[in-house]
Amino acid sequence: MRSFIAALLLGSALAIPAMAQVAKPTANLSAPVKSFGRVSYDARSLMIDGERKIIWGGEFHPFRLPSPDLWRDILQKMRASGFNTVALYFDWGYHSPKQGVYDFTGIRDIDRLLTMAEEEGLYVITRAGPYVNAELSRGGFPGWLVNQRARARTDDPDYLKAVDEWLDQINPIIARHQINAEKARKGGVILHQIENELALTTPAQRRYMDHLYAKARADGITVPIFHNDQGRNGYWTPESSTVEKVVTGPNDMYAFDGYPGGTCTVTGQPTRDVAAPDWGYYGTGGAKGGASASPDTPGFAAEFGGGWFDYWGSNGGYDCNAIQRGKRFQRVFYGTNLANGIGIQSFYMTYGGTSWGWLPGPVVFTSYDYGAAISEPRALREKAQEMKQLGGLIASVPDLAGMIPAGPVEISSPNIQIYHNKSPETDARFLMVTHKPSNGQTNDSFTFTADLPDGRYTVPMRLNGFDAKWLVAGVTLGGQRLVYSTSELQSAQRQDKGDLMLLYGRAGEPGETVLRYTSAPTVTVIEGEATSRFDAAKGDLKLSYRHQGRAIVRIEGGGRPPLTVILADEAEAVRYWRQGDMLIRGPDLVRHATVKGGTLALTGDTAIQSPLEIWAPGTIRSVTWNGGKIATRTTPSGSLAATQPLAGPAAIALPALTDWRMAKGSPEADPAFDDSNWQAIDKRSSASITARPDGQPNMGMDAYGFHDGDVWYRGRFTGTPDAKTLSLYYGAGGSGLVQAWIDGQFIGEAETPDGLPRPITTGTARFALPASAQSGEHILSVMVRNNGHNWDLDSDDFHKEARGLISASLEGGPSKRSFAVPIAWKIQGKRGGEMLADPVRGPANNGGLYGERMGWHLPGFDDKRWAKATVPATQAEAGTSWYRTSFDLAVPKGQDATIALSFGDATKPRSPVRYRVLMFVNGWNMGQFIAHVGPQRSFPIPEGILNHRGKNHVALAVTSDGQPGDALEAVRLVTLHSVKGGLPVQMVTAPNAPSDLKE
């Protein structure tokens, strides 16, 4: 069989004209089916209960949305936008502040999250690490692991012991939520990833992978197991792969990631310099060819670019990224994947969210919007509408799963290429029409001629600019036979004893659709314009029309059930929502459609006043929208239309932020400050990869249990003539900071560089000391802000690069020696270190600022004794000053909104003044604003953290160099997203006052 298929493909290749796509025998189409309970696969596709499926997934990180009720909001939006699968990373460090301590409650309740996904009818791909990367600090490793001398991502026994701690916790939760756990379960875990982008392939890594695989199986995970190969190296394919130069592993399936398509310019302009790659049937093959590295398993892109992350000091790239990998890109690139047999695709990200607190690694700032289909404020972008259309096609045509190359297509234009695939079971066809190369932007009219299941046809087409069209032909849809259409299919549904189709195209372009009948049917144009012609010899009914607004055609007789065809342009088509056997037009989101008795209950969102029209079974007698009864009338097309439009959201009145109070927040700089309870710096062992000068103490913050945020040092020395300069070597992550004082006098600050996609994360600083330092007793005070540990992407323990001070030298005097004057240091960071004072908010919420240690960030802190202050401020002292205020919100009930804190002029990526802010909203660290670095100026605060109907408290830790004007700019509330609808959201319960913190 395999040799026959290879010969068939080769023979086809010889006959295909030069402009057609040529398939290669990269997949073993005769590979046996491998079964894992209800989940199985062969070389062509994944199967659930024996039924072939296209897995159309998107990535969502629950740890980047610390309001669990809103997890359901994201899942519902994904489902409504055409996704059938959600991929979930789990951040080990998010759950474990200290070795042996784990938390899976509240904002870390993975059991609750997976239950939600099942309830929303989504398949789940779990990605539990141990290493995830995800632009997280330490790539998701816990802070305490930085102190382990064992090399990470190897089979070192100490590392494996730590890994097993984590897996003992997370694997059983995943196992409970597998689709295999219940025969009737409609959603749940179908695939499980055991490691991510493991780029080293030595025997130590192979033994490590063996351990992870065996551990997953021992913990009850029964679905297929995979690894995500960074950049298609052919690493960690199943043992069955015999492709030259692959590296095999214990995993069942091979998956890879890819982010092709180019990037935006630094000025925020999209580019189209890169064509979509062929990483499957039509590609070059081999170990680095994508799916071709594993011929016996289906094409699987565990991460395919749904956007890109942004870095400190950029000009702000997320809006551009949403276009770069947005509308049209999705059709071209995701469609090319599908044509290449990559039937499992997960788009990274689909909702990016917020790297709140100290979650972000050095390569990103607070926002992880990613330019994803769902924006950080939880709004559906234009690209989500296109994904809904593509997902609708996938849901409507099950035959698309498991297709293989079909043979020659003749094309009249050299500017066009067509991928032509077929289902071996039904002979249904998929024709992916795009430019040649696919990033071409010409406007072309052409024809293609193809042998389709119902005959040989020459089809007229247009393709304008950067675009692709996903066409199906020879498809049985309910009781209808679609011969071909130049329009794209968004939905096909059975209703009662008839059928409903929604077809769409580019505005103004002509379209034609051919349907097969045994005799001439009756065609009635109910709305708009369309013509029809019946070819009795073939049995073909051809509808001709122009995509302009909407036309509705009713077809009856001809030996088939009645059919209603909606012909729409794109702007019209995106207003439709597919819900089971119903089609709903109008609202900005339809979350659910539930039938009970004769009542159809719809839930969803409206961003403006909206019409409502429903195509539903005839048994529906009444309709509700978000619980309210809707009066309807029956239209000529058979739909139900609301007699009045659905209401949009009311305006939200946001209060001005006034009545500020302020307190100085760097008492550690005062020589009289009591540091008697601080830890003494000593020469304890270090696991850091950062070399420090020989004989010097271990000053790194991690060795003392402080892994996140700010850390303070105080050093005592006796002055000599050599004490002229303080030279510091420090680690601070991306756009990190060091500030220094002597005897309470500020002597300067330094920052690690910004404006670099891969930032330099350590630095040196030299500060001149006053002449008084050369005799007598003195106290140095140094604050280091750690903006994240590095990732371990290259499996080189890069996450163990030192943070905090690495060395400190007094020098510059007559001896010309460094470290000429001894210094006795102490250190203080986060309150409690690894023993969290606030385990509810968790390890990412706090660092070691004095105000944090004292609970000044908490809503219940009493600030009545603080001085009244004015914002914007005109001046600040060097160091940190705290500002607090409170305000009330009254968002109308039944309305969903995302409200943000915004600083200064939000139209510009940077300020002319230098300062930085840690913002705490109701005690939650919702991000860091660096005025002179940027680019983020507005910080969304999710409901549940923000009280939409009551009192809220804001605490701002403002750090400045004290220079004129380097002070807090205007701070205001802004609404980033508002709709009528949404879901009920409860406030996340957490410590309220300093007395609630653990000692």
Side-chain angles (χ1 to χ4, degrees), residues 841 857-859 887 920-926 941 944-947 951-955 987-988 990-992:
R841 294 183 177 92
H857 62 291
L858 295 174
F887 59 92
F920 294 87
V921 179
N922 295 324
W924 295 82
N925 180 347
M926 292 311 300
I941 316 298
I945 301 301
L946 192 66
N947 186 351
K951 185 166 287 295
N952 296 274
H953 298 263
V954 171
M987 288 294 291
V988 180
N992 179 66

Side-chain angles (χ1 to χ4, degrees), residues 606-798:
T606 53
I608 57 173
Q609 192 179 77
S610 302
L612 178 66
E613 187 174 10
I614 306 156
W615 283 263
T619 55
I620 300 301
R621 297 186 298 275
S622 62
V623 176
T624 64
W625 173 256
N626 290 338
K629 190 171 182 179
I630 301 295
T632 62
R633 61 179 176 82
T634 302
T635 71
S637 70
S639 66
L640 296 173
T643 58
Q644 297 293 326
L646 302 176
I652 299 174
L654 296 178
L657 298 181
T658 59
D659 300 324
W660 290 94
R661 290 183 178 268
M662 187 272 285
K664 297 177 181 179
S666 298
E668 299 93 338
D670 188 333
F673 180 81
D674 182 6
D675 60 16
S676 59
N677 291 324
W678 288 23
Q679 294 183 63
I681 294 289
D682 54 33
K683 293 186 177 181
R684 66 187 62 188
S685 63
S686 172
S688 175
I689 63 168
T690 307
R692 65 180 188 270
D694 292 343
Q696 290 300 300
N698 180 359
M699 301 190 75
M701 60 189 286
D702 290 287
Y704 299 87
F706 307 125
H707 307 300
D708 304 293
D710 299 297
V711 64
W712 274 91
Y713 298 83
R714 282 169 58 86
R716 291 169 168 82
F717 72 93
T718 301
T720 76
D722 280 319
K724 288 191 173 182
T725 301
L726 174 64
S727 178
L728 301 178
Y729 177 24
Y730 66 100
S735 293
L737 171 72
V738 61
Q739 291 189 317
W741 292 257
I742 183 168
D743 301 328
Q745 176 186 344
F746 185 67
I747 54 175
E749 71 173 31
E751 297 175 326
T752 50
D754 61 78
L756 303 174
R758 298 294 182 271
I760 299 167
T761 49
T762 61
T764 59
R766 293 174 61 84
F767 304 116
L769 299 179
S772 60
Q774 295 172 36
S775 63
E777 302 300 315
H778 302 280
I779 296 180
L780 295 167
S781 300
V782 177
M783 190 273 279
V784 179
R785 174 157 298 171
N786 167 23
N787 276 348
H789 288 73
N790 300 330
W791 54 27
D792 190 33
L793 188 61
D794 296 322
S795 306
D796 55 1
D797 273 356
F798 195 30

Side-chain angles (χ1 to χ4, degrees), residues 170-457:
I170 191 65
N171 280 353
I173 299 173
I174 293 169
R176 288 198 299 273
H177 289 275
Q178 294 173 105
I179 198 169
N180 290 337
E182 297 177 17
K183 288 186 178 180
R185 183 172 285 174
K186 294 183 178 180
V189 178
I190 58 170
L191 295 166
H192 178 68
Q193 179 177 309
I194 55 170
E195 240 282 0
N196 186 62
E197 300 176 329
L198 183 59
L200 280 187
T201 59
T202 73
Q205 275 76 38
R206 174 57 201 253
R207 292 189 295 269
Y208 167 49
M209 289 287 285
D210 288 343
H211 179 90
L212 296 177
Y213 184 93
K215 177 64 175 166
R217 291 292 184 231
D219 289 339
I221 294 176
T222 58
V223 297
I225 286 173
F226 70 96
H227 161 271
N228 175 39
D229 183 15
Q230 179 192 353
R232 303 157 313 284
N233 296 297
Y235 294 166
W236 311 117
T237 70
E239 295 280 8
S240 63
S241 177
T242 57
V243 174
E244 187 178 357
K245 295 183 180 180
V246 300
V247 176
T248 60
N251 35 301
D252 306 303
M253 299 176 68
Y254 173 70
F256 59 89
D257 64 23
Y259 293 81
T263 58
C264 292
T265 68
V266 294
T267 58
Q269 298 300 312
T271 61
R272 296 294 177 220
D273 299 331
V274 181
D278 291 312
W279 286 338
Y281 293 149
Y282 299 93
T284 57
K288 295 182 180 295
S292 59
S294 181
D296 292 354
T297 61
F300 185 176
E303 294 179 24
F304 198 84
W308 194 243
F309 58 86
D310 203 3
Y311 55 92
W312 288 112
S314 79
N315 289 320
Y318 286 138
D319 287 341
C320 184
N321 280 331
I323 299 169
Q324 182 73 29
R325 290 187 170 93
K327 186 177 179 181
R328 300 293 186 252
F329 170 92
Q330 298 171 141
R331 291 184 190 276
V332 173
F333 281 72
Y334 304 170
T336 299
N337 282 350
L338 190 59
N340 273 272
I342 302 172
I344 308 172
Q345 297 190 65
S346 182
F347 307 109
Y348 189 105
M349 297 292 298
T350 296
Y351 174 73
T354 304
S355 294
W356 61 280
W358 299 109
L359 284 178
V363 296
V364 291
F365 47 88
T366 299
S367 176
Y368 200 70
D369 178 280
Y370 219 81
I374 306 172
S375 70
E376 184 182 10
R378 295 181 296 106
L380 293 172
R381 283 191 164 107
E382 182 182 46
K383 61 190 286 187
Q385 298 175 343
E386 184 175 74
M387 291 298 284
K388 176 177 66 175
Q389 294 180 312
L390 302 179
L393 171 66
I394 289 167
S396 298
V397 187
D399 310 47
L400 287 170
M403 283 192 168
I404 63 173
V409 174
E410 298 173 11
I411 309 166
S412 66
S413 171
N415 297 333
I416 301 297
Q417 61 186 339
I418 297 178
Y419 298 85
H420 180 204
N421 291 357
K422 68 179 180 181
S423 166
E425 288 79 18
T426 67
D427 205 29
R429 304 301 172 88
F430 174 58
L431 298 114
M432 216 288 286
V433 182
T434 188
H435 279 105
K436 186 180 182 70
S438 62
N439 60 328
Q441 299 180 53
T442 54
N443 296 337
D444 295 281
S445 295
F446 59 95
T447 62
F448 72 84
T449 302
D451 290 315
L452 301 175
D454 298 301
R456 184 172 178 84
Y457 290 87

